[in-house]
Amino acid sequence: MQQAKCSTTSAKSKARILNQDKGRDIKDSSFSAPIVDYSFKQLTSCIDLLGKAIEPRQGEKKLLSKPSTLSKDSNDKNKLLNIQSEEKEEQLIIKRGNRDVQKGNSNNSNFKDDQSDEVSLIDKKNQVSGEEEEEKYSKFLGRGIKLSNNNLTNLAEFATVVNEVLETPEELSWLDLSYNNFSTLETIESLPFNITSLYLHSNNISSLKEIVRLKKFKDLKRLTLFGNPVEEIRNYRYCMLSLFPELKNFDFVTVTDRDRDTAATFKELFWPKAPKKK
C-alpha cells in the first residue's frame, strides 16, 4: 500500500512539474516571439480584429485546442471506433459480394447497396475530421501588438481582442498606436496595467488632461507623444517628464538625470500646488 501511495504521489508531482515547465516554455516563447503586427490594415475599430478575418503582417502562431472541447475527446474517439468497426463489417460484406459476383450468384442491387454504404462511411469519417478541425484554433505568441497606421479613434473592446489574439494576454507589455486618429484616451482604461512601452505619436491628442490618464501605468518606461497637438505646449518635454519621472525613454530620446532634475524644477515652478490640509 505504501509503495502504491508513493507511486501515486510521484506521478502527481511529475505531472505538476511538467505543467510548470509547459507554462515556462509558453512564457519564454512569448518573450522571444515577434510583435504581432496589424499595421496598415485600415482598421477603424478594434472589433475589426475579432473573428480572425484579418491576419497580421507578422506574428508567431501556436495551434491550440479549445478548453470547452476537451470533454468531447472521448466522444470523438468513440465515433471513430464505431466508424472503423462499421467499415470492417462493410469490407467483409463487400468481399462476400465480390465472391458472389465472381460466382455469378449476386444481385446487382445488393452490390450497389454495398457501394453506397462505403460512400456513407467515407462521409462519416470526413464529418468527424471536420468537427476536429473546427475544435482547433490558433493564437499568437508574443508580448506586443502593433496597431500603427490605421484609422483607430478609441480602444473599445481592446481587452477582448487581446484575449482572443494572444496566447498569454496578461503578458502584454508593448503597444504601438501611432499614426491613428486618437483625440481622446478615455478608453485607455482597457489596457493592462503592466504596459511598459506605449507609442502614441502622430495622433490628434491636444489636451493635457488626456495625457494625465496615462499615469495609471506605473511600469511605463517608454512613451512617445510627438506629432500630437499637445506637443505645442511650452516646455513640452519637461512638462511630460514632470508627469512621468520614471520614464527611461521619451519620444525615442533617452531620459537623463539632468532631464529629471529640470522636470522636477519645472513641476515646482509651474504646476499648481495642492492645498495644504488643515
Side-chain angles (χ1 to χ4, degrees), residues 94-147:
I94 291 170
K95 286 180 180 179
R96 290 171 188 166
N98 289 337
R99 292 195 197 102
D100 292 340
V101 169
Q102 291 174 359
K103 292 178 181 180
N105 296 327
S106 68
N107 294 325
N108 291 332
S109 60
N110 293 334
F111 186 71
K112 289 179 181 178
D113 291 338
D114 293 339
Q115 285 182 326
S116 63
D117 291 338
E118 186 177 3
V119 172
S120 64
L121 280 173
I122 294 172
D123 291 338
K124 285 182 181 179
K125 291 177 79 174
N126 291 336
Q127 183 179 357
V128 172
S129 63
E131 289 176 359
E132 288 181 350
E133 288 179 0
E134 290 177 358
E135 301 301 336
K136 298 289 185 180
Y137 73 113
S138 59
K139 287 192 174 184
F140 289 92
L141 300 171
R143 299 185 178 187
I145 297 180
K146 189 173 185 177
L147 293 168

Side-chain angles (χ1 to χ4, degrees), residues 184-199:
T184 177
L185 298 177
E186 288 180 348
T187 51
I188 205 76
E189 302 295 329
S190 61
L191 295 184
F193 284 89
N194 55 327
I195 287 286
T196 59
S197 300
L198 181 60
Y199 302 106

Side-chain angles (χ1 to χ4, degrees), residues 35-72:
I35 299 297
V36 183
D37 187 355
Y38 286 103
S39 61
F40 296 98
K41 291 291 183 178
Q42 298 181 349
L43 303 174
T44 57
S45 172
C46 292
I47 302 175
D48 295 341
L49 295 175
L50 296 177
K52 299 181 176 59
I54 300 176
E55 285 293 319
R57 301 163 63 86
Q58 180 181 354
E60 183 178 335
K61 280 186 178 181
K62 180 177 182 181
L63 190 65
L64 302 167
S65 296
K66 287 186 179 179
S68 59
T69 62
L70 294 178
S71 60
K72 298 181 182 179

Side-chain angles (χ1 to χ4, degrees), residues 26 40 66 81 127 147 149 151 170 194 210 238 262 275:
I26 290 174
F40 296 98
K66 287 186 179 179
L81 289 174
Q127 183 179 357
L147 293 168
N149 297 91
N151 297 310
E170 70 280 359
N194 55 327
E210 300 299 324
Y238 300 119
T262 305

